[in-house]
Amino acid sequence: MNLSPEWREKLSDAEIDYIFLDQWTAQKSRFLGKGVSGEEYPIALARHSQIVDGDVISYDQNTGKAAVLRIELSPVLVIDMGGLADKDTETIIRVSVELGHAVGNQHWPAVVKGTKVYVPLTVDKKVMLSVMETHHIEGITYEFQKGMEIIPYLAPHEIRRLFGGAGQESHSHEHSHGHIVHCHSHGHSHGDKDMENHNHKH
């Protein structure tokens, strides 16, 4: 209903039962959605299909009733490295490594797209911003954006990377797909107390 004028018009006078989904449920191929009305809707997706906010899953023209999916996505930290484009190669490499170290030491998943790095909300917003401020990496800017606003810029596997898992489940190592990175930094940096030495078994 968000993208189709035809559906928007059809539903303008309809009685809509909204099914609110969190981002984890929205990644599943089969689930039971519960509408605000309390009615349950069994949902099964075709292979390789993805739910988007505003999907109409039920519509009865005779009764004027419809059921629509609404997805509540978490914000995403968007780090913009575009300001480095006109810098010398050494600076670009150094800042990129510094950023990778900062993100990797926190075990944050990340998706790199063009000059932007997308980091899903894994801890409190203030904590993530504090980490970025502590490292004070020159030449980059960063801000939180609504999950729904960045969806159009991402491929399905990147969407799953940012929104498709909670906690450790989202930390699968996908080093070779597109520009998906999961950095592990070893050792101490800047003497920060929280930059502990992490030992990993791969």
Side-chain angles (χ1 to χ4, degrees), residues 179-199:
H179 294 286
I180 299 175
V181 294
H182 182 94
C183 307
H184 285 300
S185 298
H186 301 266
H188 296 275
S189 171
H190 306 298
D192 288 349
K193 187 179 177 184
D194 61 343
M195 294 302 177
E196 298 173 299
N197 191 33
H198 299 286
N199 295 312

Side-chain angles (χ1 to χ4, degrees), residues 81-107:
M81 302 180 74
L84 296 172
D86 59 351
K87 304 291 184 185
D88 59 274
T89 306
E90 287 81 2
T91 300
I92 294 172
I93 293 172
R94 178 175 55 79
V95 174
S96 297
V97 171
E98 284 178 7
L99 178 61
H101 184 83
V103 171
N105 248 344
Q106 299 299 319
H107 295 238

Side-chain angles (χ1 to χ4, degrees), residues 121 123-131 133 144:
L121 187 71
V123 290
D124 186 79
K125 267 187 185 183
K126 290 178 183 175
V127 174
M128 294 182 74
L129 291 174
S130 175
V131 168
E133 287 162 12
F144 277 99

Side-chain angles (χ1 to χ4, degrees), residues 20-90:
F20 287 93
L21 306 174
D22 61 28
Q23 59 194 42
W24 322 124
T25 306
Q27 302 302 320
K28 295 178 179 177
S29 57
R30 290 173 177 270
F31 60 91
L32 192 64
K34 191 169 186 178
V36 175
S37 67
E39 188 170 342
E40 293 184 328
Y41 303 85
I43 296 167
L45 302 181
R47 280 175 65 85
H48 306 303
S49 60
Q50 187 91 25
I51 285 174
V52 294
D53 183 65
D55 273 344
V56 182
I57 62 160
S58 171
Y59 176 65
D60 188 327
Q61 195 169 0
N62 297 323
T63 61
K65 290 186 176 183
V68 176
L69 299 178
R70 301 308 304 262
I71 302 174
E72 299 177 303
L73 295 177
S74 295
V76 175
L77 181 64
V78 181
I79 304 167
D80 193 345
M81 302 180 74
L84 296 172
D86 59 351
K87 304 291 184 185
D88 59 274
T89 306
E90 287 81 2

Side-chain angles (χ1 to χ4, degrees), residues 107-180:
H107 295 238
W108 291 341
V111 169
V112 181
K113 196 90 170 177
T115 59
K116 293 183 178 178
V117 181
Y118 298 93
V119 184
L121 187 71
T122 52
V123 290
D124 186 79
K125 267 187 185 183
K126 290 178 183 175
V127 174
M128 294 182 74
L129 291 174
S130 175
V131 168
M132 295 302 296
E133 287 162 12
T134 299
H135 285 275
H136 191 66
I137 300 166
E138 63 175 299
I140 68 168
T141 58
Y142 50 88
E143 65 175 359
F144 277 99
Q145 291 184 14
K146 292 180 180 177
M148 287 308 303
E149 290 177 356
I150 67 167
I151 285 286
Y153 303 103
L154 303 172
H157 67 281
E158 293 166 333
I159 293 171
R160 283 193 295 275
R161 178 69 173 167
L162 293 183
F163 303 112
Q168 291 299 316
E169 291 174 14
S170 65
H171 289 205
S172 57
H173 294 232
E174 301 180 50
H175 294 283
S176 59
H177 299 288
H179 294 286
I180 299 175

